[in-house]
Amino acid sequence: MSNMINSGGMRGQNGRNASNYRTNKPISLVFEKSSPGRHLFVLPDCDVTPDDSLPDNMKRKTKLNFPELSETELSRHYNSLAKQVYGVNSGFYPLGSCTMKYNPAINEKIASLWGFKNVHPLQPAYTVQGCLEALSLCSKYLCAITGMDDMCLQPAAGAHGELTGLLIIKAYHESRGDQQRTKVIVPDSAHGTNPASASMAGYDLISIPSDENGRLDLDTLRNAVGDDTAAFMLTNPDTLGRFNPDILHITQIVHEAGGLVYYDGANLNAIMGITRPGDMGFDVIHLNLHKTFSTPHGGGGPGSGPVGCKKHLTPFLPIPHVVDATDDSPFSFSYDFPQSIGKVKSFYGNFMVCVRALTYMITLGSDGIKEVSETAVLNANYLMRRLGEKYDVFQPDGCMHEFIISMENMKKDYGVSAMDIAKTMIDYGIHPPTMYFPLIVPEALMFEPTETESKETLDEVVEIMFEIYDNAIANPESMHNAPVSTYVRRLDEVTAARSPVLKYEFGDGSDNGSGKEND
Ligand SMILES: *Cc1c(COP(=O)(O)O)cnc(C)c1O
């Protein structure tokens, strides 16, 4: 297997190099590299008398366990950790549904402008007029792209946007005395956050099955809706990467039953400038700025999940709203929305993510935004067709921004699973695709190449995927050990999920700063 690594092209492009690794040597923490007396600073002698007025019971009894390293060691430590991180800047990252596109550096540059970076959220509105204008513009552009009338930028992520949207729907029904609407309908192909958000918002969940092609059946929907329906949640294109041509019928069926229709717009990469959820009949939508609108994500950085709505739901949006400047008055915040569901995030949301999204939209313009979607769909279809020469594509007749291949036959015939293929891709310097999602396709691998990849990269990926395919048939046993080029090998995912070790135990019994002696 190791001869396949670093044998040219994309292999090893992620900066990994087998010779950097000593097999099975665990990654040491900075604490484990510590050696008493080492420093990376020189401080002048203290020339003030320390304040000793703290009561004894509040004083630390043992020394704080800080790591002691030289600057060289510290620099090498973090540099070597950084080298093991795989990101969009390392190589191909086809993580379906997550839209791992390249994020232009200009977004970072604009977000780090002094006037954006150094404002305080409690500054009076008249001192932060440019920031309010940026928020207002960001909302307006997102409304134009989605066909919504209003947009709240507060939610911090997609799932948070879903919860916010459902609370808005709840407030709307309650304001009309429609208390009996206690159910939210979700197709079984939905992203896992949809049912979770519905139950967090206090709704009962109805999951409706897809037909044998993974499509939503209109009669099934008709039978599910009624006067207890609060909302129907849908993503279109669906999680199988296909646009639903029945969408106008779907929204009509739900509206006729008195329910509202929620659009999971976490991934808008396929439709921008081409069609709009607002025109499809959706009432509420959330977007993931950290996916479609280009903010680095994965690894827990800040996200943003704006919620957009049609006019009839505006009174329920979170407060405050940004009010545009007029000839007589500057930009301001308004809290004067008595039916609002309240605040869902401290201050106004993750402001810098909105600045990045605004920069992205302004630099691309409306033609560029449309081209993003056209290229994303073109790239996905190209990769799907090429991989389809060897792999089993689920629904190979065409896709939107993503598609699914199934390893069901491969597993049956050779014992090589979707997991084995995904893990082997790591050894070739490619990030694995989304695995085992959506749940309705067995042994699914979901590819989303995004618009930021060139044809040359896609061709190289195809070549690698073919090599992996041939190896899976010729040498199936070898696939179970992958990845072999990484610091951490194949993880025991069941144990990792069931008994995660989330806390480092200091073996020497020292006080690591938890302050437990003083509790
Ligand atoms: C990513 C995603 C979400 C959840 O977004 P988070 O920001 O991770 O909370 C919801 N729905 C779909 C379809 C997604 O792809």
Side-chain angles (χ1 to χ4, degrees), residues 469-482:
Y469 186 93
D470 294 341
N471 192 58
I473 290 171
N475 200 359
E477 284 310 309
S478 72
M479 308 287 286
H480 304 318
N481 297 325

Side-chain angles (χ1 to χ4, degrees), residues 421-475:
I421 300 279
K423 297 293 182 193
T424 304
M425 289 169 72
I426 297 174
D427 283 331
Y428 284 88
I430 303 179
H431 193 283
T434 296
M435 301 181 288
Y436 299 100
F437 175 79
L439 303 172
I440 55 179
V441 180
E443 296 295 320
L445 289 178
M446 184 197 229
F447 284 77
E448 182 185 6
T450 87
E451 73 284 3
T452 56
E453 300 300 338
S454 66
K455 178 170 178 294
E456 288 76 11
T457 300
L458 298 182
D459 284 335
E460 202 163 356
V461 168
V462 169
E463 193 194 305
I464 290 171
M465 290 303 294
F466 286 177
E467 199 173 314
I468 292 176
Y469 186 93
D470 294 341
N471 192 58
I473 290 171
N475 200 359

Side-chain angles (χ1 to χ4, degrees), residues 201-256:
Y203 281 116
D204 298 330
L205 188 76
I206 300 189
S207 170
I208 54 171
S210 311
D211 68 14
E212 68 276 11
N213 295 318
R215 287 191 188 278
L216 177 71
D217 179 61
L218 289 191
D219 283 330
T220 312
L221 179 63
R222 269 190 206 100
N223 291 333
V225 295
D227 55 12
D228 58 357
T229 303
F232 176 56
M233 299 178 83
L234 192 68
T235 178
N236 188 30
D238 60 22
T239 57
L240 298 147
R242 295 162 322 181
F243 190 85
N244 193 321
D246 295 325
I247 192 60
L248 291 174
H249 293 296
I250 290 171
T251 51
Q252 191 185 356
I253 289 169
V254 181
H255 283 151
E256 279 171 5

Side-chain angles (χ1 to χ4, degrees), residues 67-86:
E68 298 178 80
L69 281 83
S70 71
E71 186 166 333
T72 321
E73 288 164 325
L74 194 73
S75 161
R76 281 183 190 156
H77 175 74
Y78 286 113
N79 202 31
S80 99
L81 288 182
K83 273 191 199 153
Q84 287 160 54
V85 173
Y86 190 93

Side-chain angles (χ1 to χ4, degrees), residues 97 157-159 162 191 193 264 266 288 290-291:
S97 203
E162 290 171 29
H191 194 269
T193 49
D264 177 343
N288 278 17
H290 48 289
K291 289 182 181 168

Side-chain angles (χ1 to χ4, degrees), residues 170-181:
K170 199 170 202 181
Y172 167 82
H173 288 310
E174 281 171 6
S175 77
R176 296 155 47 96
D178 235 354
Q179 316 283 4
Q180 83 288 356
R181 297 194 177 271

